[in-house]
């Protein structure tokens, strides 16, 4: 019998923590887990899942409109926010129960309280006096929205509160144009809310391929979203039922709600980590090696609390690799190559591999293939809708380095492309693959002509 209460104690019952706790318990280990909010974590309770359900809800309006051109007739079309948000909350409750049952069935001891680290093998739970001891501690506390430090910041909501809104606002200002900002801008715009996005950078979605960034910005403006770049917030003031957001550049914007989508910070505050010798990184994240081990041998960390990719499947893989390494005796690290990601904006982005800019920095020669076309559906609906696809190829090896898509079902298509990219697919193999017709995805295997940058206009160099 071990000298510790638990062989593993996990702090945080989100994607990474629940996976690690369940797998270790299924190996027969004594496992405890602490959760200060709700079992399931960000993804299930206030992230991916409720967000995607709101995305679905926000798309029906345009789809029903389009249906008219396909012969459908309807009367009295109205949108009812309470129905949507309550149904989303009901699904979140269901998943919360599923995750709780999963831990119960695996015989993981659950503590619905806040935990803090007191020593390499000791934890303190907020609701009891006796400390708990564990051979290994896994920090899986995730991250939380950052709120910009501006006068009036107390008026700001974050994505967390969006899932609790009892009323749909008539207008909203969203500060920040990362993927969460773009997704919520699309959700609200799709539901008829007047949306303004304020962003300090010169284009939305930093780190994405430039064609995706430009293409989505154009499409969102077409749909009526007011995207304002190079704009910094000076202050937020309550003004009657609304909020006035003053801009450093001068002027202001008024809206019924103001949301901060300005990034997420690892949850390490008051966790006691540094006092026991765990190094934290530039952003307060737990510094870990490739096996997710911190600077203290018995303390590991997975998921958003580390400085890797803040995505659910990544947290789950890291939790799995941790259990294999520590409890199964086979050291496993996660392979971060070719992780596909999506932005569930309207239109949607799906992307995997290197951006054109990245590839230009890494390869001697690259080829670009691009296609931009109206999906077949739009020919009848008349909607101003475009599909953009782009392949980034290493011209010396013919390897496909990146696939970037903007348009309907981009996320679903790119998930499949990611398999091929991981296997080292070449452009010639894309071309040899038979097209599936008629589909938007067939364009990926029928792009024959290299994209050439536009030739400079004659005389323009001399004039410069
Ligand atoms: C709005 C939004 C949309 C997103 N959409 C996507 C998406 O479409 N696809 C995708 O892959 N990812 C998405 N993500 C990211 C994804 O949710 C996270 O990457 C994932 O949940 C990280 O899992 P985790 O286990 O690291 O942390 P979390 O799931 O955040 O779990 C951490 C848990 O620890 C608990 N906790 C923190 N401190 C303590 C403590 N001291 N004691 C006890 N408990 C504690 C928290 O309450 C939380 O439940 C989204 C995130 C947000 C916010």
């Amino acid at each position: 019998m071990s000298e510790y209460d638990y062989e593993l104690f996990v702090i945080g019952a989100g994607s990474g923590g629940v996976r690690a706790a369940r797998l270790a318990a299924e190996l027969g280990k004594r496992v405890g887990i602490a959760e200060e909010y709700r079992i399931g974590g960000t993804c299930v309770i206030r992230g991916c899942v409720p967000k995607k359900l709101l995305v679905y809800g926000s798309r029906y309006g345009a789809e029903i409109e389009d249906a008219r051109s396909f012969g459908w007739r309807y009367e009295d079309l109205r949108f009812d926010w309470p129905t949507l948000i309550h149904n989303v909350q009901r699904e979140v409750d269901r998943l919360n129960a599923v995750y709780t049952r999963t831990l119960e069935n695996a015989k993981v001891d659950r503590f619905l309280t806040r935990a803090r680290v007191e020593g390499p093998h000791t934890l303190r739970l907020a609701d009891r006096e006796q400390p708990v001891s564990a051979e290994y501690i896994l920090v899986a506390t995730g991250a939380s929205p950052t709120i910009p430090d501006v006068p009036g910041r107390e008026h700001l909501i974050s994505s967390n509160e969006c899932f609790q809104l009892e009323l749909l606002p008539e207008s909203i200002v969203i500060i920040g144009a990362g993927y969460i900002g773009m997704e919520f801008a699309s959700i609200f715009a799709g539901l008829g809310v007047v949306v303004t996005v304020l962003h300090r950078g010169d284009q939305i979605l930093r780190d994405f391929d430039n064609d995706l960034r430009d293409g989505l910005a154009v499409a969102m403006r077409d749909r009526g979203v007011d995207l304002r770049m190079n704009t910094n917030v000076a202050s937020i003031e309550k003004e009657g039922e609304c909020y006035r957001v003053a801009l450093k550049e001068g002027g202001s914007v008024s809206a019924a709600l103001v949301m901060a989508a300005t990034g997420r910070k690892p949850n390490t505050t008051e966790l006691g980590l540094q006092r026991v010798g765990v190094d934290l990184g530039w952003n307060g994240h737990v510094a870990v090696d490739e096996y997710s081990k911190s600077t203290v041998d018995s303390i590991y960390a997975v998921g958003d609390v580390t400085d890797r990719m803040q995505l659910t499947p990544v947290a789950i893989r890291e939790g799995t690799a941790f259990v294999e390494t520590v409890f199964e005796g086979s050291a496993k690290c996660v392979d971060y190559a070719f992780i596909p990601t999506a932005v569930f904006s309207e239109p949607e982005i799906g992307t995997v591999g290197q951006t054109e800019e990245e590839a230009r920095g890494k390869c001697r020669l690259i080829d670009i293939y691009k296609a931009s076309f109206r999906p077949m559906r739009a020919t009848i609906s008349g909607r101003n809708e475009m599909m953009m696809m782009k392949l980034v190829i290493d011209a010396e090896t013919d390897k496909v380095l990146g696939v970037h898509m903007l348009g309907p079902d981009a996320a679903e298509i790119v998930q499949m492309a990611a398999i091929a990219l991981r296997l080292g697919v070449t452009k010639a193999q894309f071309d040899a693959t038979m097209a599936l017709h008629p589909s938007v995805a067939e364009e990926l295997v029928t792009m024959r002509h290299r994209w050439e940058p536009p030739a400079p206009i004659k005389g323009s160099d001399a004039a410069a």
Side-chain angles (χ1 to χ4, degrees):
M1 193 67 179
S2 144
E3 60 190 290
Y4 302 109
D5 298 328
Y6 293 100
E7 282 152 297
L8 171 65
F9 198 96
V10 181
I11 312 180
S15 306
V18 167
R19 178 56 61 97
R22 175 174 69 79
L23 292 183
E26 284 172 359
L27 290 173
K29 305 294 171 192
R30 275 174 296 116
V31 182
I33 193 166
E35 170 53 55
E36 67 172 349
Y37 183 53
R38 294 184 73 187
I39 288 177
T42 303
C43 172
V44 169
I45 308 293
R46 45 195 183 184
C48 332
V49 172
K51 174 212 57 196
K52 188 79 186 275
L53 292 171
L54 291 182
V55 168
Y56 285 131
S58 70
R59 287 178 177 170
Y60 280 110
E63 283 172 14
I64 294 171
E65 269 304 308
D66 289 357
R68 282 184 187 280
S69 316
F70 289 86
W72 291 92
R73 293 287 170 263
Y74 48 82
E75 284 162 18
D76 189 28
L77 183 66
R78 282 178 303 117
F79 171 68
D80 183 49
W81 170 258
T83 302
L84 174 60
I85 201 68
H86 291 147
N87 285 343
V88 169
Q89 287 165 354
R90 202 178 51 200
E91 175 57 9
V92 167
D93 292 346
R94 190 187 70 81
L95 289 172
N96 170 241
V98 168
Y99 274 69
T100 305
R101 245 190 340 266
T102 298
L103 291 172
E104 228 170 62
N105 292 343
K107 306 213 174 347
V108 174
D109 287 348
R110 297 167 319 285
F111 301 90
L112 287 179
T113 186
R114 186 171 170 77
R116 193 161 49 85
V117 177
E118 282 201 339
H121 298 282
T122 318
L123 299 116
R124 178 77 58 176
L125 302 180
D127 66 353
R128 63 198 62 209
E129 284 190 358
Q130 284 302 312
V132 172
S133 65
E135 187 174 358
Y136 289 99
I137 294 171
L138 180 66
V139 181
T141 49
S144 300
T146 53
I147 299 295
D149 192 12
V150 291
R153 69 197 294 269
E154 67 278 8
H155 300 309
L156 289 167
I157 63 160
S158 71
S159 56
N160 287 351
E161 289 75 35
C162 286
F163 301 115
Q164 305 293 336
L165 290 177
E166 286 299 322
L167 288 175
L168 185 67
E170 279 182 10
S171 53
I172 188 166
V173 167
I174 298 177
I175 307 172
Y179 86 93
I180 292 178
M182 290 300 93
E183 291 179 337
F184 277 94
S186 299
I187 290 168
F188 284 118
L191 298 177
V193 177
V194 175
V195 181
T196 308
V197 176
L198 307 176
H199 181 50
R200 64 181 180 187
D202 57 8
Q203 185 53 296
I204 60 170
L205 293 178
R206 187 165 55 94
D207 297 337
F208 281 73
D209 187 273
N210 280 338
D211 280 315
L212 293 178
R213 303 172 74 193
D214 296 344
L216 181 61
V218 168
M220 287 185 70
R221 286 191 172 113
D222 267 4
R223 286 175 158 79
V225 177
D226 182 4
L227 295 179
R228 302 196 194 178
M229 301 297 106
N230 301 307
T231 305
N232 291 274
V233 172
S235 63
I236 300 140
E237 268 177 49
K238 184 135 176 66
E239 209 179 57
E241 293 299 296
C242 282
Y243 298 94
R244 177 164 293 281
V245 182
L247 308 176
K248 285 188 181 160
E249 292 70 24
S252 61
V253 196
S254 250
L257 212 56
V258 189
M259 170 187 177
T262 44
R264 294 176 60 79
K265 195 173 169 358
N267 289 328
T268 50
T269 319
E270 292 173 28
L271 211 51
L273 291 169
Q274 276 169 307
R275 244 180 311 115
V276 302
V278 172
D279 283 356
L280 300 186
W282 63 278
N283 194 23
H285 59 265
V286 181
V288 288
D289 66 12
E290 68 268 43
Y291 300 106
S292 296
K293 186 158 83 170
S294 78
T295 42
V296 171
D297 281 348
S298 55
I299 301 181
Y300 285 67
V302 295
D304 286 6
V305 75
T306 64
D307 189 27
R308 297 180 284 194
M309 292 192 80
Q310 295 200 337
L311 292 170
T312 292
V314 174
I316 291 174
R317 274 288 166 92
E318 288 170 355
T320 307
F322 157 76
V323 171
E324 288 172 349
T325 302
V326 171
F327 295 115
E328 291 191 82
S330 68
K332 280 276 166 54
C333 25
V334 173
D335 180 357
Y336 296 90
F338 297 114
I339 295 177
T341 62
V343 181
F344 293 103
S345 46
E346 188 55 43
E348 178 171 302
I349 281 179
T351 177
V352 60
Q354 294 180 34
T355 65
E356 177 178 343
E357 300 67 39
E358 241 180 310
R360 287 201 187 285
K362 288 183 182 162
C363 302
R364 237 168 44 85
L365 275 177
I366 67 160
D367 285 337
I368 300 295
Y369 290 81
K370 286 190 203 182
S372 192
F373 56 95
R374 283 183 96 189
M376 190 192 273
R377 201 173 57 174
T379 57
I380 284 196
S381 71
R383 184 167 292 282
N384 182 15
E385 186 178 29
M386 292 300 284
M387 183 90 205
M388 196 280 283
M389 293 183 179
K390 178 171 177 179
L391 298 180
V392 180
I393 313 291
D394 182 333
E396 291 185 312
T397 61
D398 199 39
K399 284 236 163 89
V400 183
L401 303 175
V403 175
H404 310 288
M405 294 182 54
L406 174 71
D409 301 320
E412 304 290 341
I413 297 166
V414 161
Q415 171 69 86
M416 291 293 103
I419 301 172
L421 263 65
R422 273 189 62 82
L423 295 173
V425 71
T426 61
K427 176 68 167 67
Q429 288 167 328
F430 260 53
D431 295 345
T433 303
M434 196 66 80
L436 188 160
H437 182 75
S439 68
V440 288
E442 68 181 310
E443 200 72 26
L444 278 180
V445 295
T446 55
M447 284 193 246
R448 294 286 179 267
H449 302 292
R450 253 193 304 275
W451 176 79
E452 302 290 350
I457 299 165
K458 273 213 168 97
S460 64
D461 291 353

